[in-house]
Each structure stands twice: as structure tokens, then as C-alpha cells.
Amino acid sequence: MTTSNTLNLLHGIIQEVNDAPNLKRALAVIVCRVKQAIAADVCSVYLNNSEQQEYILMATDGLCRDAVGKVRLPMGHGLIGVVSERAEPLNLSEAATHPQYVLTSETGEIGYHGFLGVPIIQHRKVLGVLVMRRRKSLCFADQDVTFVMTLAAQLAGAITHAKASGELKRLQNQKDLNNKFFQGQPGSNGIAIGNLLVVYPLADLNAVPDHPVEDLEAEITTFKNALARAYADLDALAKRTKGWLSDEDQALFDAWKLMLQSDILSEDVIQRIHNGNWAQGALRETIHEHALIFEEMEDPYLRERARDIRDLGQRILMHLQDNVQTREYPQQTILAGEDLSASQLADVPRERLVGVISTTGSKSSHVAILAYGMGVPAVMGVTNLPLGRMDGLEVILDGHHGRIYIMPTPGEREEYQRLANADRALVESLDVLQGLPSCTLDNHPLPLYLNIGLASESHPMMGIEEASGVGLYRTEVPFMIRDRFPSEEEQIDEYRRILTLFHPKPVTFRTLDIGGDKSLPYFPINESNPFLGWRGIRISLDHPELFLTQVRAIMQAAIGLDNARILLPMISTLEEVDEALELIKRAYQELLEDHILFAMPKIGVMVEVPAAVYQVEAIAKRVDFLSIGTNDLTQYLLAVDRNNREVASLYDDLHPAVLRAINQILVGAIKQNCEVSVCGEMAGNPMAAILLLGMGITSLSMNANSILPVKAVIRAFALGQARELLKRALNCDFAAQVHKLLENALESEGLGVLVR
Ligand code: PEP
Ligand code: MG
């Protein structure tokens, strides 16, 4: 096979497996395609059933089909056991000569000699084994082995997804409902019980979820109109391209138009609408089914027609989505999606939003931080959630453990209601701290500031009274919720609103920090490595017109109030600091020249890139304050994408390397007599707050929900105790030791509940 043939083949198989509606179909596709691809006489797949400690034959092409689901081998048994336990391929010319070979006669395996077993692995766990057999006594060629390994490495995700879809069906059939949950990662603490509202990208047929039909006749009319408009489009396109497209290509339009007119397609969709699915879902299912028929054909020309059918489906969908009215949010909305954005969250009326689920991302993603800031529980990175079939279902979301329970039993609902009440009781128990100063047992003050900005203005601001001011206002949101850059006047209005709300307390405006996982719909940035790309200050300096507008807006908003501070994100060189300071001075001068008189705001730099850690003294000399962005600093120090669920378990801001870097920042800043705050999520973690106190931090800035738990911890320790704990933490080799040390410390002060 040539490289491009192999790639096409791999992509084709993976696509088909991904599109399979259930596990059975996915496995049938795998065994059939793999057997063809490497010219084996048999291909079978065994999946591990860890509950019963056995391998089950799940699909076969070549052996006796009656054995499927019946042949069960004890774990560790036979050649499947060898492949599964070693997690490595096994390639034999004569299977029977291997000491662990066991003949399973029910499969009709007699007469085969060559054997290739390849493990299917996901997250270090063997899910099953692909087994190829051949009649000849001959090993499989190296390129066959690597082909199957390459495929197997990508099949794991599709298999777990298909398995999960099957699981959901089973749950929907009300069988075996007890204690079944989908596992993700805790994104924001708390329990939510509500109904799912699935948001999905438009113009992607595969992403369309099922949804019950509300008005049958209206739905059918909508579909027929979309069909007619798709037809008119194609007709116009055919006319426009006449003369410069070949007759053969022109004929394709006729074929598509015929398909649109044929009753087969539209009747199938309408039947599905009658069965209760809305037009978009009915179209997705129909197109999928028709495309599969073509995909299974031997003739490559006919197989290609599957693509035409999918293209047609896409066209009809476009017209259907033109017509969608805004969807109604359930009373208790749990918003779910593949890659939720901050503005999608902000779109939900605050009083209806009770939970957030994202199939991607981790707790350091901005969506999770936003949910936490709003006091809304969230579960991130739930890999296998079959979102397409879940719209409207009742779920329990356990943000403490990162679990989702679909259609809970009355027992589960009762249990989780009890836990939600306990959460509420904990929050209420901290209310006694309201109004008390944030200082240690020996009266050392540690002011606590608020992080705001991710939530839209429709969300009420919490913690105004408790906080000493705003330590981080992420100014991205006024930029994100518009369809163009906000004008200077619009920015002045927004910033002045916040400055007035907090006056006379200071408000720290971080200048525009887009890029990474925060993009503006009207300013797309396409990069293969966005977190290492055009982000934060880099964009501002490349677009001084945007930066100057923002800085002028902050300065004018503060006239007469004088409580604004400016913070520069993503600084990695001194040149950036100097250039930004130059521009800020220019903006100040311009306003003075216009006879607008006010005090120059204090300027700070975010230390969130490792380079800034090593130049901290030089930076501190140039500015009034530093603010440590531990969210980014952790991702850059540990080389762990904060948004990637695959590596989320490696992301830990209590990693000894992160602690040492932060300590180094403080040592440098203190030498230069420069104030230092922490505004990353670490500041709101009661355990970490003790260490930061020990390091001599000037203040902490966090989401409103964290203020009282952090205050509780600060008030329970003396500065000397914090320094002692810090000394011990800095001597730890492992993050787990740091966690244990701090958990024990909080436990011994009766605050264990804050870390459980
Ligand atoms: C940080 O990186 O710690 C930070 C506060 O900024 P953001 O999370 O917005 O990147
Ligand atoms: Mg940051």
C-alpha cells in the first residue's frame, strides 16, 4: 500500500467506526475492515470485562458468528491473556507452539496457524485485543502489524464512545439503573440536579443532538422548506457553473437534485419526525443510514457516493438551522457541550443555570473558572458522554467527584439532595466570617481581592462587601459578547460601572488577554499551538490602536474616582514591559494634553510565563506591582496544556517545581520592595493560601466563592506556622507529599471539611 492509500484507509475505517450508532456496529466494522486491509483469514475482537475478570469475544469476521458473546475466556488465559497482560502485540507463525496457547473449539478456530494479537489501549488501560489469524504458518508482515497498532491506538476512543452510547440506551430502557455514572473531572465544586440542554456547533450534521418534536406539522413543513431551498441552491449552482464545469461534474448536480426529489430520503426523514425526533435529528439519522449503505459497497465508485449523501445532508441542515428559533432553557438548566465557551454560559439566564458539563477541557479551562466564579458546579472532560442522545434528560452532576448520573433513580436523587444540602450548610457555616478581617492569629493582614469579568453583566456580582477590591478584572468579556471591537466610549461605560461599584476600593484591569482558549468571533486566530502563540500582550503590542484605546478608556473611566490599576498579561520579555509602559505614558500624555487631569494608575505585570520568573527583579524595578497568574504559570512550567483533559492529571499547582518558582518570584519582588499578589485559581485554594501566606504574599485575588473558605484558613494559622509549613513543602519531592502535608495541617485545625 502507498502512504496515501494507507492513510485513506485508516481515516476511512476510523470515520466509519466513529459514525457507528452502537458498539455492536462499531466492532462489526472493525473486524470486517481490518481483515480486508491486511488480508487475514480471520479478524476478531475480544473486550476485557474487568467486573467478571474475563475476555469476551465481541465480533468476528471469519470465525463462527454464533460464538460471539458466548466465548468468554478467564483473564490471563491463552494468547489473548498474553497480549492483554503485556500490553504488546504478539505475532506468531504457529500459534499452537506458544506455551500459553489454548484452543477454543466453539469458535471454529481449527485449521489456522498464523496469529497476530494487538492490544487496544486507552489511558494505559487495555480495553481489549484485536486478533488476526491466517491459515498459512507465517508471521504477519511488519507493516501489517504497525497498521493494526496504528488503528488500534485510535479505536479505543471510538469503542468507549460506542460502549457509552449503548450504556445510555440500557439506562433509557430503565434496566440496571443503580449507580451508573459517566466519569469526568471535577471542574467546579457542588451538586446540581437538572435537565440537560446540549449546545452544539452549527453546520455540523454529526453534532446535531436528538430532540423531541414539539409541533409535528410545523416540523415537517420546516423540513420540506429546507429541502426545497437546498434544491433551489443546487439548481442555481448548476446554472452558474454551466460552461466551465465538465459534463461529468455537471451530471453530479443532476444526481443530487434527483436524490433531493426522491421520496426515499424525504419519506425517511418525515417518518422519523413522526416517530418523535425533530427535523435536524431525523435528518442526521437518515443521512447516516443512507451513507452507510453506500459505504458498505464493494465498488469504490459507489462507496464514494456516501460522501455525496453526507454533503447533501449538510446542505439541507444549513437551511434547517437558518430557521431555528432560540431554544428554551429548562428551569434547572445543566448546560452541556463539546467545547463550551464563556459566552455560551453567559447566554443562559443566571437563575436557570444550575450546572455545566463539557466533554473537553479541564478544571483550569476558562469555562470551568467561569462556572466556579458563578458558583455553578461543573464537570469537565467527560470523554464518553453521548451528548447527541441526551438533550432534555434529567441528570445529577457531582462537581466534587466529576461524575454525571443520567436519569437518576429516586434513591440517587435523594442521596444527592442530601449532599447538596450539606454543601449549602458548609457555605452557611462560613457566613459567620463575613465582615471579620482577613488576618492571621497573630494579626498579620492578608487582604483578599476578587477576580471578576468572565461572567457577563447579567450575573449579579458577589462578594463586593467582603473583598478589598478587584485584583483581576479579565477585560475579555466586553470584547467577547460583541460582534466587533467595543468602542472607546463603550469601554469607558463598562469600566466606569465597575469602578463606581467598588469605589473607593481599587479595581485592577487586566488589558485584553485574548488568544489561547479565548477567541473573539470577529477576530479569529488560527494557530496550531495557541497557548504558545499570539496571546495577551503580544496582540496588544502588535495592535497599538487596540491597546491605546483600551488604556485610554480605563484612564478616562477612572476620572474623579482614581481607583483603577492596569495589569499586563503574558509578559515574557523586558522589551514588552518597556513598550507597553511607553504606550501607557503616551495615552496619559494625550489625555493631559486634552486638559483631562487625573492621577496615573498604578501599573503591574502578570508573572505567568517562566521567563518572567527568572527576570522578576528587573520587571519589579519597572512597575508598581506584580500579580502571579498561576493558571498559566503551572501550564508553562509543567508543559501541561491547561485545556487538555488527556493530561489534566499532570496539572497541579502544588507541584514542588511550581512552589519553588513562586517562592523565587517572592524573593525577587521583596528585594525590590514590590507588592505581589496571586490571581490564578491557586489563590482560592485554602491549602495553597497558607503556603502563599508563608512566602510573604501581599494579597490574594480569587473568585467570590473562595473568599470565606480562604479567610477561614488564614484566621486559623499564625504567620510562623505558615512559614514552617512552607519550609516543609519546599523540601517535598512529590506533589502528593505537599497535598498530604497541607491536608493534615488543615485537618488539625478543624478545617478538614474545606479540603474534602
Ligand atoms: C492565570 O493565568 O493564572 C490567570 C489569572 O489568567 P487567565 O486564567 O485568565 O489566563
Ligand atoms: Mg493567564
Side-chain angles (χ1 to χ4, degrees):
M1 261 186 285
T2 63
T3 309
S4 72
N5 279 347
T6 313
L7 277 178
N8 284 341
L9 192 60
L10 273 170
H11 289 161
I13 298 176
I14 288 159
Q15 181 67 43
E16 269 187 69
V17 174
N18 275 330
D19 289 344
N22 52 40
L23 183 64
K24 194 167 167 219
R25 173 78 210 153
L27 298 179
V29 169
I30 293 170
V31 291
C32 160
R33 293 279 179 261
V34 173
K35 180 175 159 235
Q36 278 169 3
I38 66 165
D41 295 311
V42 170
C43 178
S44 313
V45 60
Y46 289 81
L47 290 189
N48 292 8
N49 177 0
S50 40
E51 275 167 32
Q52 302 295 328
Q53 290 288 299
E54 61 188 8
Y55 313 115
I56 309 176
L57 175 68
M58 297 294 291
T60 182
D61 186 344
L63 294 183
C64 173
R65 289 196 185 208
D66 286 348
V68 169
K70 293 193 192 117
V71 169
R72 289 160 185 258
L73 312 170
M75 241 172 215
H77 201 70
L79 297 183
I80 314 288
V82 176
V83 177
S84 180
E85 290 193 343
R86 288 201 200 147
E88 272 184 341
L90 181 67
N91 188 5
L92 303 170
S93 58
E94 194 55 72
T97 60
H98 192 284
Q100 274 181 250
Y101 176 76
V102 179
L103 175 72
T104 33
S105 48
E106 307 96 297
T107 55
E109 229 176 287
I110 299 159
Y112 296 98
H113 300 277
F115 173 99
L116 171 62
V118 174
I120 305 168
I121 301 178
Q122 191 184 36
H123 293 303
R124 307 181 185 189
K125 199 169 148 208
V126 178
L127 301 181
V129 178
L130 265 172
V131 180
M132 277 59 57
R133 303 298 312 264
R134 58 172 34 151
R135 288 185 198 286
K136 281 194 197 145
S137 179
L138 191 68
C139 282
F140 284 82
D142 280 354
Q143 68 262 33
D144 288 342
V145 179
T146 49
F147 175 84
V148 182
M149 282 170 69
T150 314
L151 189 67
Q154 294 172 67
L155 285 177
I159 289 178
T160 31
H161 185 81
K163 235 175 158 171
S165 302
E167 186 87 317
L168 182 68
K169 268 246 153 66
R170 211 150 56 81
L171 291 179
Q172 282 171 324
N173 289 339
Q174 302 285 316
K175 285 180 215 143
D176 192 14
L177 276 172
N178 245 341
N179 216 19
K180 285 283 175 214
F181 56 82
F182 290 92
Q183 185 70 54
Q185 293 161 13
S188 163
N189 279 348
I191 307 289
I193 304 176
N195 291 87
L196 279 183
L197 184 119
V198 178
V199 285
Y200 55 96
L202 292 182
D204 179 357
L205 194 59
N206 286 329
V208 167
D210 290 341
H211 189 74
V213 185
E214 273 134 36
D215 178 342
L216 191 68
E217 286 315 313
E219 201 66 13
I220 293 173
T221 311
T222 308
F223 169 65
K224 285 185 175 162
N225 288 343
L227 205 63
R229 269 185 278 144
Y231 185 91
D233 271 1
L234 284 174
D235 201 36
L237 204 61
K239 285 190 182 117
R240 241 183 298 143
T241 53
K242 214 174 177 96
W244 55 272
L245 272 189
S246 69
D247 288 350
E248 209 177 295
D249 287 337
Q250 277 284 333
L252 206 58
F253 288 123
D254 296 331
W256 282 356
K257 279 161 47 187
L258 272 178
M259 277 194 229
L260 283 181
Q261 279 180 316
S262 88
D263 292 341
I264 310 172
L265 194 76
S266 62
E267 275 175 8
D268 272 8
V269 176
I270 291 171
Q271 184 54 49
R272 286 190 159 96
I273 298 177
H274 275 289
N275 291 347
N277 206 350
W278 67 334
Q280 294 189 39
L283 177 72
R284 188 205 67 235
E285 281 186 284
T286 306
I287 293 291
H288 189 61
E289 188 182 273
H290 285 242
L292 268 186
I293 297 171
F294 282 93
E295 269 155 7
E296 280 175 358
M297 291 181 176
E298 290 292 325
D299 180 342
Y301 175 81
L302 289 176
R303 258 208 319 268
E304 266 299 291
R305 301 287 65 80
R307 195 193 302 244
D308 296 339
I309 296 196
R310 292 191 192 279
D311 282 352
L312 264 190
Q314 208 61 45
R315 278 179 181 278
I316 305 170
L317 180 72
M318 239 164 51
H319 291 290
L320 276 177
Q321 291 184 333
D322 266 357
N323 252 349
V324 220
Q325 281 139 23
T326 38
R327 293 165 66 196
E328 174 115 359
Y329 292 102
Q331 285 299 337
Q332 305 279 312
T333 298
I334 297 190
L335 195 72
E338 203 176 298
D339 190 11
L340 290 176
S341 67
S343 47
Q344 279 168 329
L345 236 75
D347 279 346
V348 187
R350 178 63 193 92
E351 66 287 359
R352 294 198 174 194
L353 182 67
V354 298
V356 171
I357 300 173
S358 174
T359 58
T360 57
S362 69
K363 77 167 191 305
S364 344
S365 303
H366 280 98
V367 169
I369 297 177
L370 169 57
Y372 182 67
M374 291 162 71
V376 171
V379 175
M380 304 293 291
V382 208
T383 336
N384 304 317
L385 209 58
L387 276 185
R389 317 232 180 107
M390 293 175 56
D391 202 46
L393 293 186
E394 192 194 0
V395 301
I396 291 178
L397 178 161
D398 175 353
H400 299 292
H401 303 98
R403 291 177 180 174
I404 310 292
Y405 294 80
I406 314 283
M407 302 199 317
T409 58
E412 282 167 343
R413 211 177 293 125
E414 204 175 299
E415 169 67 6
Y416 273 93
Q417 199 57 60
R418 197 180 57 72
L419 291 173
N421 293 344
D423 280 354
R424 211 163 304 121
L426 170 66
V427 171
E428 283 165 13
S429 74
L430 293 172
D431 279 351
V432 291
L433 297 174
Q434 274 184 19
L436 298 181
S438 169
C439 61
T440 59
L441 282 177
D442 48 345
N443 277 332
H444 178 86
L446 182 56
L448 306 182
Y449 286 77
L450 270 183
N451 285 356
I452 61 165
L454 277 179
S456 86
E457 40 211 331
S458 63
H459 298 122
M461 202 87 71
M462 299 182 290
I464 300 179
E465 298 300 324
E466 274 303 296
S468 300
V470 174
L472 172 67
Y473 173 26
R474 291 178 166 101
T475 59
E476 292 79 65
V477 163
F479 285 74
M480 280 174 173
I481 57 178
R482 290 187 164 74
D483 54 5
R484 52 175 172 77
F485 287 111
S487 68
E488 194 164 316
E489 288 308 317
E490 285 168 329
Q491 290 188 55
I492 294 174
D493 287 350
E494 170 63 14
Y495 302 156
R496 193 159 176 92
R497 190 177 68 80
I498 304 289
L499 286 166
T500 313
L501 199 61
F502 283 87
H503 189 262
K505 296 173 179 173
V507 176
T508 307
F509 291 90
R510 180 176 70 185
T511 60
L512 189 61
D513 186 24
I514 50 169
D517 65 344
K518 284 174 290 187
S519 59
L520 301 177
Y522 49 89
F523 190 68
I525 303 170
N526 291 317
E527 296 175 315
S528 50
N529 231 334
F531 277 111
L532 298 184
W534 209 36
R535 248 197 104 178
I537 198 73
R538 301 172 182 180
I539 297 181
S540 292
L541 293 178
D542 287 346
H543 280 281
E545 77 289 10
L546 297 179
F547 186 65
L548 283 167
T549 307
Q550 184 172 35
V551 168
R552 268 199 312 263
I554 297 170
M555 290 175 175
Q556 291 173 86
I559 292 170
L561 298 170
D562 285 337
N563 57 340
R565 308 186 343 149
I566 296 177
L567 179 60
L568 307 170
M570 265 301 277
I571 292 289
S572 60
T573 68
L574 290 177
E575 286 85 342
E576 286 166 345
V577 182
D578 290 342
E579 280 173 46
L581 290 176
E582 225 15 78
L583 288 170
I584 293 171
K585 270 191 216 134
R586 196 173 114 192
Y588 184 59
Q589 282 307 329
E590 281 169 9
L591 291 172
L592 287 188
E593 280 159 24
D594 286 343
H595 307 290
I596 302 175
L597 297 181
F598 59 98
M600 173 79 162
K602 286 196 169 164
I603 314 290
V605 157
M606 286 200 71
V607 182
E608 52 182 348
V609 175
V613 178
Y614 296 103
Q615 290 198 289
V616 70
E617 287 198 50
I619 296 174
K621 272 185 198 158
R622 288 166 159 79
V623 293
D624 304 305
F625 66 98
L626 301 178
S627 189
I628 309 176
T630 49
N631 304 339
D632 278 313
L633 187 60
T634 305
Q635 86 160 333
Y636 293 130
L637 277 173
L638 304 183
V640 176
D641 179 346
R642 61 193 268 188
N643 230 4
N644 183 344
R645 66 177 177 216
E646 303 298 332
V647 290
S649 61
L650 295 172
Y651 185 100
D652 188 349
D653 48 22
L654 292 176
H655 186 295
V658 179
L659 295 183
R660 286 171 206 171
I662 297 174
N663 197 45
Q664 185 165 338
I665 298 170
L666 274 135
V667 171
I670 290 168
K671 255 196 222 162
Q672 294 304 324
N673 228 346
C674 185
E675 284 178 24
V676 195
S677 171
V678 170
C679 64
E681 291 308 290
M682 186 181 189
N685 172 353
M687 296 199 295
I690 289 297
L691 295 184
L692 297 170
L693 170 73
M695 289 182 199
I697 202 82
T698 322
S699 61
L700 297 174
S701 189
M702 63 199 70
N703 287 304
N705 304 314
S706 298
I707 290 211
L708 293 181
V710 169
K711 198 200 272 189
V713 175
I714 291 165
R715 291 179 58 85
F717 285 83
L719 185 57
Q721 271 176 293
R723 287 190 178 140
E724 185 50 37
L725 276 171
L726 172 67
K727 207 158 101 196
R728 290 169 60 194
L730 288 175
N731 277 328
C732 289
D733 287 333
F734 300 97
Q737 293 170 327
V738 180
H739 282 269
K740 197 79 215 138
L741 173 75
L742 296 171
E743 276 164 26
N744 289 343
L746 261 62
E747 200 80 58
S748 65
E749 296 304 328
L751 294 169
V753 68
L754 294 179
V755 289
R756 259 178 247 129

